[in-house]
Amino acid sequence: MEKQRKISSLLDIADKKEAYSLRRIKKNSSYMLLMTMMTFVLSLHLALAESLPAHNYSLQDGLDNLVVDEINQDSTGYLYFSTQHGVYFYDGRRFYNLGVAQGLPVGGFAVRIAFDATGRVLLLTPRQIFISDRSTDTCNSPLSLRFSAIETSRSVFLNHDFRRIVFLKNTAFIDDDGHLDTIDFGKRPYIVSHIPDEGKFKLLSKINDISGLFSNNDSLWISTDSGKIYTKDDLNIKIFDLPSAKEDPEWQGWSTNRAGIVYVASFKKIAAFENKKLLWIKDIPGDFWKHAMHVSEASILADRNENILVPYGSSIAFNKNGMWLPPLKFGGNEVQIFSMLLDKDSQLWIGTEGSGVYRLLGWKIWQNFNSDTDLDHSGNIWQILPYTDGSILALADHGMFLFSKNKNIKKIDDRNNYIGVVDEGGKIWHVVNDNKLESFSLNSEGGIDNRRYYDVPYVNAMTLGFSSKKMPVIWLATEKGLYFLFLDAANGSQLQPAIGPDEKPLTHVAALTKANDGSLWIVHHNELLHRHLDGTYTHIISQWPVNSFVPLTIAFRNKNEIWIGGAGGGLMRVIVDEDRVISVKQFSEPDILSSSVVSLLVDRRQWVWVGTDRGISVFDGQRWVSQNTNDGLIWNDISQDGLAEGVDGTIWISTSRGVSHLLKPESVFQHQTLRPVFSEVRLGNKLLPEQAVDFSRQPLTVRFGILNFAAQANVHFRYRLEDVDSAWADTASGEVRYAYVPPGQHNLTVQAYDTMRGDQSEPISLLIRMKYPWWQWWTAYIAYGLTIVACFYAVMRFRFRYLTRRQAILKELVEQRTKEMRAAQQALEVQAQQDGLTGLLNRRTIEANLSRLLARMRDQTRSGLSGTNVTAILMDIDYFKSINDEFGHLVGDEVLIEVSARLQKAVRLEDFVGRYGGEEFLITVSISGSEMRERIQEIMRKLTDLPISTRKGELAVRCSMGVAEAGTNEDWQSLIDRADQALYQAKAAGRNRIVFSELAPNGADYPG
């Protein structure tokens, strides 16, 4: 069928016509293994069956022994489990066995676990009683406890059989093989002794058949094999006689509720006491006791809602308001229940005969109904329809089921049902077998009246509304178009097509919803349309923020929010002002659990519920939270149109494996105080004690726990070790390892946070103290200092004698080195001033000489002396690049060397010649006027008259010169700049010539 195609296929065919023909899509269409439907007949009617999801803890969690006789919880929140292999505790991540490291025997049978007024742990074995040295806390888990055996007085029988223990103030009362022993924790040493045979205890000292112990407020309760119940407070003792029979010999199980009612149970009966008065005695239904009485003790648990729970073989018998409900199956358990506990967070824990421990998920928050066992192999549950009288209709592959208000369940149809609505008159409209629209009414007995049928194409969505003439109709979104049918239409009437915005029938309508004003919001060809009550349309959105987004479902919130879910893009929120789009926002992971959204619901609180293939996500207008199978949901794969709100405000969810009923929707947004703990801290293979430890390079391993067990699957940890971690790190496993911890004091800070709810804990810190190694002790530093002083003194003595002997030699060496250094310095000075290739002055030196000449000329002018003018000549070898390119750089170097030699010969001693860069040279002469010009022309002739001999033969070399005579106050940069301009003019005029700067700095013409 169409609805069994995969949602993921939508991503590949989003642009094809077939994409809009996928209405009933589910990723997991496989059925569970067939099981027989569990029934429980009581009071001549069939009560509604319920399946309880549970998490099983066994070997893979560290619980090595699967026979769990007792469960208890300390004040910190750690859970303790009494087994036939000693005691285990649980920290929300793993089970740990308490043993030799804690001062306990290896293995052995642990009978009972108790806690004194200070939180210390007492463990009973058949022959010994152990007490811990302290209580647990955030930084000290049960692994850090040290147990010691409590002595027994000589008056106690030599052979003990400790079976039970309870506390009343500072006194512990112990069942020792039917006799009553005590331990007074108000004085030391602690000693186990028989209850005194005198005073207020005299009557109790005669008891020798104790079957159960219990303490409540200031009262001690004792049950016996003979059926007598003793209750004692500070003033007196009361005795009650309860029925006792051979097949039901012992009243063993005790519990109390918040109202102070005390319950005691045998295998077949329960008695209730209030204010130490017997209220009633009731029978426990069934015959589970035939096996239970041979392998376990009778037990009972009163929850916080004053309901009573007792083991019923492998199930739980549940008494609510005096009525026994059907036994509750959970988690596939098939063995006898031994123990039960309701922890601090109302999580129900169950110990079994050989399957370990179960924790019921979503206890009293979620109600689940399995599609195979509870709903007669219904197949996929596609939709939940709240009915007008408060009952619920479930539409499924293999029928329609009615959940009545009085907790009866009835199958009212055997055909394929997958989508429907209930009109205001209570008439049910639904599609059967993919091609028929049926309407009918339910009579008072749950029967069907007034059936009507209408032919329909494959329907994607349907809703109630009004026609353009304001007549009540049912709207159907199909692949062939948008249709409507009047609610009073006769049997067999034809559907009426709705005309689209282009005056043609709409096709490929994937989803629709009704707004508060009765208008329709429609998903058509991946577009969002608004159909007004008068039949006109407005195009709202034609392009989504994500191109791969394929809308599947739509819901309306408040007055201006449209929520659209689909495949390939998650969830879109469109805010409009009338028909104008204000914003479009996409929600995907991690806000919601998955980007594949198949169902939407806006409830009466205006919360948005989002069904995905990984569970549900909920938005209250401020924040997102999520729920999945870890929280109690029967299955994560939500059905399309699988979300509905009951008339009582509870939420119903249909999945591919059954139906979940969220009894307390407000609970999903309730903040919880997360309680992280340090469960195990090891340095190497040893537990890290509280006191400072000797320095070690062994790795540090730390395990964190979370004592909010309902949130354990969703909790991550942030952590940071002071002086080691530069930033916060994150772990989901709850285990971190440091290869090395430096000595000193370091705070390890941890914070837990819930990835599904957004809650986070207060940070907790553990101080890790590691001693410094001996080589870092203060005494070692003193020794280091003394050693250094002694070594320094010895070295100085040796050095003085050595220096004395070497003084003469060193003096001679110093003088020799001084001479060498002076020679080297002179060579360096020459090297620093000369060009390495030509031997001429380098650029820096020639510029410095020019600057000094100009400064001297200015000084002479200021003094009124007639000084010699300074002239700068910039000379460039013409076409030098061509020489390099044609003959090679070695020939070019030969040309430069020869030109440099000719220049040195051509100038006077008072003139300066330097290589200015590349093939450019700077010459400074201290003459002016006609003499200067003649001198420069003479230099040009000496440079160019004769060819230059090179390894490639003789080369005729030509030069260009730019000449500038210095002005009165001209600096060397300006002078060289004018010479450079003149050189540029010489090159521009054809090279091989001399060009004089046309103007002096003061604007006067040069002479000549």
Side-chain angles (χ1 to χ4, degrees):
M1 290 183 293
E2 291 283 339
K3 60 176 170 278
Q4 291 177 334
R5 298 181 188 174
K6 304 290 185 182
I7 285 179
S8 59
S9 65
L10 287 171
L11 302 177
D12 301 324
I13 60 174
D15 297 327
K16 300 179 181 180
K17 178 179 179 179
E18 287 81 5
Y20 300 95
S21 66
L22 302 178
R23 179 60 181 93
R24 294 296 155 221
I25 306 163
K26 291 310 297 172
K27 281 190 174 181
N28 187 350
S29 61
S30 61
Y31 296 135
M32 295 176 63
L33 296 176
L34 297 178
M35 297 172 63
T36 304
M37 179 176 179
M38 182 182 73
T39 60
F40 190 96
V41 179
L42 186 66
S43 302
L44 301 179
H45 75 277
L46 179 65
L48 186 62
E50 181 181 351
S51 299
L52 299 175
H55 184 87
N56 177 236
Y57 302 89
S58 57
L59 298 174
Q60 72 274 9
D61 303 293
L63 184 61
D64 299 325
N65 190 285
L66 303 183
V67 179
V68 180
D69 293 289
E70 187 189 24
I71 309 173
N72 214 332
Q73 187 173 27
D74 67 16
S75 57
T76 304
Y78 286 103
L79 289 177
Y80 297 77
F81 303 86
S82 173
T83 77
Q84 294 180 358
H85 188 70
V87 174
Y88 292 80
F89 76 90
Y90 183 60
D91 69 344
R93 277 292 188 267
R94 58 194 65 81
F95 284 77
Y96 299 85
N97 186 209
L98 299 179
V100 176
Q102 289 74 39
L104 296 172
V106 178
F109 180 62
V111 181
R112 288 289 186 270
I113 307 159
F115 310 98
D116 71 2
T118 64
R120 290 181 299 177
V121 185
L122 276 86
L123 302 180
L124 265 71
T125 68
R127 295 291 179 263
Q128 287 181 295
I129 301 175
F130 294 88
I131 185 170
S132 65
D133 57 345
R134 59 185 173 184
S135 61
T136 62
D137 55 35
T138 299
C139 296
N140 295 286
S141 78
L143 286 179
S144 66
L145 303 180
R146 295 295 176 269
F147 288 85
S148 57
I150 298 178
E151 295 182 7
T152 57
S153 68
R154 295 180 180 179
S155 62
V156 179
F157 298 118
L158 296 178
N159 295 322
H160 308 293
D161 185 9
F162 298 129
R163 300 185 298 188
R164 300 169 184 85
I165 182 170
V166 297
F167 272 91
L168 190 64
K169 298 180 179 177
N170 285 329
T171 303
F173 293 89
I174 303 150
D175 172 11
D176 183 1
D177 194 22
H179 299 84
L180 192 63
D181 294 342
T182 65
I183 305 174
D184 186 356
F185 285 95
K187 59 182 180 181
R188 291 179 180 269
Y190 303 146
I191 298 177
V192 181
S193 59
H194 272 318
I195 195 167
D197 186 14
E198 58 186 20
K200 58 183 180 180
F201 292 108
K202 184 173 183 179
L203 182 61
L204 301 182
S205 67
K206 305 298 183 182
I207 302 173
N208 60 7
D209 62 344
I210 294 174
S211 61
L213 290 177
F214 182 70
S215 63
N216 179 42
N217 297 328
D218 294 329
S219 299
L220 173 68
W221 296 77
I222 303 173
S223 56
T224 66
D225 293 343
S226 61
K228 291 185 180 296
I229 303 294
Y230 297 83
T231 176
K232 177 195 175 301
D233 56 22
D234 291 335
L235 299 177
N236 50 50
I237 297 175
K238 286 188 177 182
I239 304 175
F240 302 90
D241 286 312
L242 299 183
S244 178
K246 291 183 179 180
E247 66 272 13
D248 187 22
E250 296 181 342
W251 294 86
Q252 297 172 319
W254 289 89
S255 187
T256 185
N257 63 16
R258 291 185 298 182
I261 298 176
V262 176
Y263 301 94
V264 61
S266 68
F267 288 105
K268 297 181 66 176
K269 297 179 182 296
I270 298 175
F273 298 87
E274 185 175 20
N275 297 325
K276 298 185 179 179
K277 295 180 180 179
L278 180 63
L279 291 180
W280 46 256
I281 300 176
K282 293 182 179 180
D283 291 330
I284 300 174
D287 60 356
F288 77 95
W289 55 271
K290 292 182 179 179
H291 170 70
M293 67 180 297
H294 297 293
V295 297
S296 67
E297 294 185 354
S299 61
I300 184 173
L301 177 66
D303 70 12
R304 291 179 173 85
N305 296 316
E306 301 183 12
N307 301 311
I308 301 171
L309 292 79
V310 295
Y312 191 83
S314 61
S315 306
I316 301 172
F318 187 77
N319 187 288
K320 183 175 183 180
N321 300 325
M323 174 182 174
W324 288 103
L325 300 181
L328 304 177
K329 294 290 291 182
F330 57 89
N333 179 50
E334 298 294 338
V335 298
Q336 176 69 38
I337 294 174
F338 276 6
S339 53
M340 298 182 294
L341 173 75
L342 201 64
D343 70 17
K344 298 176 182 293
D345 299 319
S346 298
Q347 296 290 297
L348 181 57
W349 295 79
I350 299 173
T352 68
E353 183 182 6
S355 294
V357 179
Y358 288 87
R359 177 173 61 87
L360 272 58
L361 306 177
W363 172 248
K364 308 310 293 179
I365 295 176
W366 288 91
Q367 195 176 32
N368 290 320
F369 307 95
N370 185 281
S371 58
D372 286 345
T373 59
D374 304 325
L375 297 176
D376 193 24
H377 303 285
S378 62
N380 283 344
I381 309 294
W382 292 111
Q383 188 176 7
I384 298 293
L385 292 180
Y387 197 55
T388 53
D389 65 350
S391 57
I392 295 294
L393 291 167
L395 280 60
D397 279 340
H398 301 151
M400 180 185 296
F401 298 84
L402 176 66
F403 296 70
S404 67
K405 293 186 298 181
N406 59 359
K407 302 304 180 185
N408 291 336
I409 184 169
K410 181 178 182 180
K411 188 174 185 179
I412 61 175
D413 190 89
D414 290 322
R415 295 165 297 172
N416 178 280
N417 295 261
Y418 72 89
I419 188 171
V421 294
V422 179
D423 65 23
E424 294 181 357
K427 187 184 298 184
I428 299 166
W429 298 77
H430 69 120
V431 176
V432 294
N433 298 331
D434 294 344
N435 59 3
K436 290 288 185 182
L437 175 65
E438 180 186 66
S439 69
F440 63 85
S441 300
L442 288 176
N443 56 38
S444 58
E445 297 179 356
I448 295 177
D449 294 334
N450 304 320
R451 287 185 188 269
R452 294 181 183 179
Y453 294 96
Y454 312 92
D455 291 329
V456 294
Y458 192 86
V459 177
N460 289 327
M462 56 197 306
T463 189
L464 300 169
F466 298 94
S467 68
S468 56
K469 296 182 180 181
K470 298 185 179 180
M471 298 292 292
V473 298
I474 182 170
W475 289 95
L476 298 101
T478 77
E479 296 307 310
K480 294 184 177 181
L482 179 65
Y483 295 90
F484 66 90
L485 182 70
F486 293 104
L487 297 185
D488 58 357
N491 185 45
S493 297
Q494 296 293 316
L495 301 181
Q496 303 296 314
I499 303 302
D502 54 358
E503 300 302 323
K504 296 180 181 180
L506 290 173
T507 58
H508 305 303
V509 180
L512 80 166
T513 189
K514 182 177 68 173
N516 297 337
D517 62 359
S519 61
L520 296 180
W521 290 84
I522 301 168
V523 175
H524 164 254
H525 275 301
N526 275 19
E527 296 181 335
L528 180 61
L529 303 179
H530 186 192
R531 187 185 189 278
H532 302 278
L533 290 175
D534 59 2
T536 60
Y537 292 82
T538 302
H539 285 272
I540 304 300
I541 292 179
S542 299
Q543 183 68 39
W544 298 101
V546 180
N547 292 332
S548 61
F549 181 60
V550 180
L552 288 176
T553 181
I554 185 171
F556 197 85
R557 180 176 183 261
N558 295 327
K559 296 180 179 180
N560 63 340
E561 290 185 19
I562 303 97
W563 293 74
I564 302 101
L571 183 64
M572 305 291 174
R573 182 183 65 186
V574 181
I575 299 179
V576 297
D577 182 4
E578 294 184 350
D579 285 342
R580 182 171 61 89
V581 176
I582 303 300
S583 66
V584 179
K585 182 176 182 179
Q586 179 191 14
F587 295 96
S588 57
E589 302 172 57
D591 290 326
I592 59 178
L593 287 175
S594 170
S595 294
S596 181
V597 176
V598 296
S599 185
L600 286 175
L601 168 69
V602 177
D603 67 12
R604 66 188 62 182
R605 295 167 286 259
Q606 295 300 298
W607 293 358
V608 181
W609 298 77
V610 181
T612 75
D613 57 347
R614 298 179 184 173
I616 63 171
S617 299
V618 194
F619 182 64
D620 66 352
Q622 300 295 326
R623 67 185 180 115
W624 286 97
V625 298
S626 297
Q627 299 273 288
N628 57 21
T629 52
N630 292 322
D631 303 290
L633 186 66
I634 193 170
W635 195 240
N636 288 333
D637 193 9
I638 310 302
S639 299
Q640 208 158 340
D641 295 319
L643 298 171
E645 182 181 16
V647 295
D648 57 357
T650 59
I651 303 299
W652 291 81
I653 303 162
S654 60
T655 76
S656 57
R657 292 197 180 180
V659 175
S660 285
H661 184 199
L662 182 55
L663 302 172
K664 299 178 180 179
E666 68 281 357
S667 67
V668 301
F669 283 106
Q670 288 178 350
H671 288 281
Q672 56 182 336
T673 302
L674 297 180
R675 303 190 301 275
V677 291
F678 294 99
S679 303
E680 183 179 12
V681 185
R682 289 186 179 274
L683 187 63
N685 295 322
K686 295 182 179 180
L687 289 172
L688 189 71
E690 282 189 81
Q691 64 270 21
V693 297
D694 292 335
F695 173 76
S696 171
R697 294 189 180 275
Q698 291 184 309
L700 176 72
T701 303
V702 184
R703 287 180 171 179
F704 315 132
I706 181 70
L707 301 184
N708 307 81
F709 305 113
Q712 64 182 41
N714 308 320
V715 168
H716 289 200
F717 299 91
R718 301 186 188 96
Y719 63 92
R720 181 177 179 270
L721 182 59
E722 184 182 22
D723 300 327
V724 176
D725 292 324
S726 59
W728 288 89
D730 189 280
T731 177
S733 67
E735 180 174 331
V736 297
R737 186 177 186 273
Y738 292 93
Y740 167 73
V741 177
Q745 295 189 4
H746 311 279
N747 270 310
L748 176 60
T749 304
V750 177
Q751 184 178 41
Y753 66 96
D754 190 331
T755 59
M756 300 283 274
R757 291 174 177 259
D759 295 324
Q760 61 183 18
S761 71
E762 292 294 327
I764 61 173
S765 294
L766 175 70
L767 182 61
I768 297 173
R769 296 182 294 171
M770 182 173 290
K771 295 178 181 178
Y772 284 90
W774 64 265
W775 57 87
Q776 293 184 11
W777 295 353
W778 65 268
T779 52
Y781 284 115
I782 292 176
Y784 300 154
L786 293 175
T787 302
I788 291 171
V789 169
C791 291
F792 179 77
Y793 177 77
V795 169
M796 291 302 295
R797 290 274 297 178
F798 174 79
R799 182 178 177 79
F800 177 77
R801 289 196 297 268
Y802 174 78
L803 290 177
T804 301
R805 290 195 303 268
R806 297 289 296 174
Q807 185 174 8
I809 299 173
L810 287 176
K811 183 177 180 180
E812 182 180 350
L813 290 174
V814 167
E815 291 175 353
Q816 182 179 350
R817 282 295 183 91
T818 301
K819 293 178 181 179
E820 292 175 354
M821 290 176 63
R822 287 174 180 172
Q825 183 177 3
Q826 291 174 356
L828 287 174
E829 289 176 355
V830 171
Q831 185 178 357
Q833 293 177 356
Q834 289 183 346
D835 177 62
L837 178 65
T838 63
L840 300 178
L841 297 178
N842 58 25
R843 178 170 178 165
R844 182 181 62 181
T845 306
I846 189 67
E847 286 177 347
N849 289 344
L850 177 60
S851 178
R852 285 194 296 270
L853 289 174
L854 292 173
R856 185 174 62 182
M857 184 182 74
R858 286 194 296 270
D859 292 342
Q860 290 174 348
T861 302
R862 292 192 192 100
S863 302
L865 302 175
S866 59
T868 303
N869 288 342
V870 178
T871 300
I873 307 166
L874 269 178
M875 187 209 79
D876 182 86
I877 301 173
D878 292 340
Y879 302 108
F880 184 75
K881 185 177 184 303
S882 298
I883 295 173
N884 278 336
D885 294 342
E886 184 175 354
F887 300 103
H889 288 83
L890 292 178
V891 173
D893 290 347
E894 291 178 354
V895 171
L896 290 174
I897 293 170
E898 179 60 25
V899 169
S900 300
R902 292 180 182 184
L903 278 174
Q904 286 180 313
K905 292 177 181 179
V907 299
R908 299 176 303 172
L909 291 177
E910 60 268 25
D911 298 333
F912 297 102
V913 179
R915 186 181 178 189
Y916 203 65
E919 68 273 20
E920 288 189 355
F921 299 86
L922 176 62
I923 308 107
T924 62
V925 296
S926 299
I927 53 177
S928 61
S930 58
E931 183 183 356
M932 175 265 292
R933 292 182 178 237
E934 291 175 0
R935 183 65 182 154
I936 292 172
Q937 289 172 354
E938 179 65 20
I939 293 172
M940 174 68 87
R941 284 194 299 271
K942 289 183 178 181
L943 288 175
T944 59
D945 280 355
L946 297 174
I948 296 176
S949 298
T950 69
R951 66 181 66 192
K952 294 292 181 72
E954 292 186 345
L955 296 178
V957 176
R958 299 290 182 264
C959 300
S960 299
M961 291 185 179
V963 182
E965 184 179 355
T968 303
N969 293 310
E970 189 172 11
D971 57 23
W972 66 271
Q973 292 95 337
S974 173
L975 181 62
I976 289 178
D977 182 61
R978 289 195 296 109
D980 189 47
Q981 292 177 11
L983 176 60
Y984 178 78
Q985 293 174 9
K987 288 184 177 183
R991 291 181 170 81
N992 193 27
R993 65 192 64 224
I994 301 171
V995 174
F996 295 87
S997 178
E998 295 181 357
L999 295 176
N1002 55 11
D1005 291 334
Y1006 278 119

